[in-house]
Amino acid sequence: QVQLVESGGGLVQPGGSLRLSCAASGRLFTIYTMNWYHQAPGKQRELVASITSDGSTNYADSVKGRFTISRDNAKNTVYLQMNNLKPEDTAVYYCNAAIRVRLETGPVDYWGQGTQVTISS
């Protein structure tokens, strides 16, 4: 069984920083692209940032220049460094990854439980 566990959320003032982590555990044959999504109250879940297994990254326009996604393949962990946070960044942040658990099967999407990020003075 695969688990994704996020950590690092919290309450910070506008202009502050947070670093989210998401560790994958369980039967992990191959981890492909890892993503961070966020979902604000009453809104759809949106893709914030992605990183492929070879380190290529992609960002939503709203976070470019402020957020940085990275991964440590040895630790099966993806990070999201969030700087210059704004009130509109307030949301639950979810980790997502495409993971193959055995050679004979294709990759499956897995999700973490989410971590709350609140930006407020």
Side-chain angles (χ1 to χ4, degrees):
Q1 185 175 355
V2 173
Q3 280 192 318
L4 298 179
V5 179
E6 299 108 333
S7 60
L11 170 65
V12 296
Q13 293 185 342
S17 298
L18 281 174
R19 188 192 194 209
L20 305 183
S21 300
C22 171
S25 62
R27 186 164 185 166
L28 308 171
F29 184 77
T30 306
I31 304 177
Y32 296 96
T33 299
M34 303 184 83
N35 308 295
W36 286 99
Y37 285 77
H38 70 194
Q39 186 168 19
K43 295 189 176 181
Q44 288 189 329
R45 193 171 295 188
E46 298 179 332
L47 180 63
V48 175
S50 297
I51 185 166
T52 64
S53 56
D54 63 0
S56 296
T57 59
N58 190 41
Y59 297 93
D61 288 343
S62 61
V63 306
K64 282 180 181 176
R66 300 189 298 122
F67 291 11
T68 302
I69 190 171
S70 61
R71 65 192 283 172
D72 184 334
N73 290 330
K75 295 181 178 179
N76 300 319
T77 299
V78 63
Y79 305 96
L80 186 67
Q81 177 67 45
M82 305 186 294
N83 298 328
N84 190 21
L85 284 159
K86 304 176 180 181
E88 51 264 41
D89 295 318
T90 295
V92 178
Y93 282 71
Y94 296 92
C95 173
N96 162 261
I99 298 174
R100 181 192 295 256
V101 298
R102 59 177 65 87
L103 180 62
E104 298 80 12
T105 61
V108 173
D109 261 1
Y110 291 89
W111 291 88
Q113 81 287 353
T115 185
Q116 177 69 46
V117 171
T118 303
I119 313 304
S120 175
S121 54

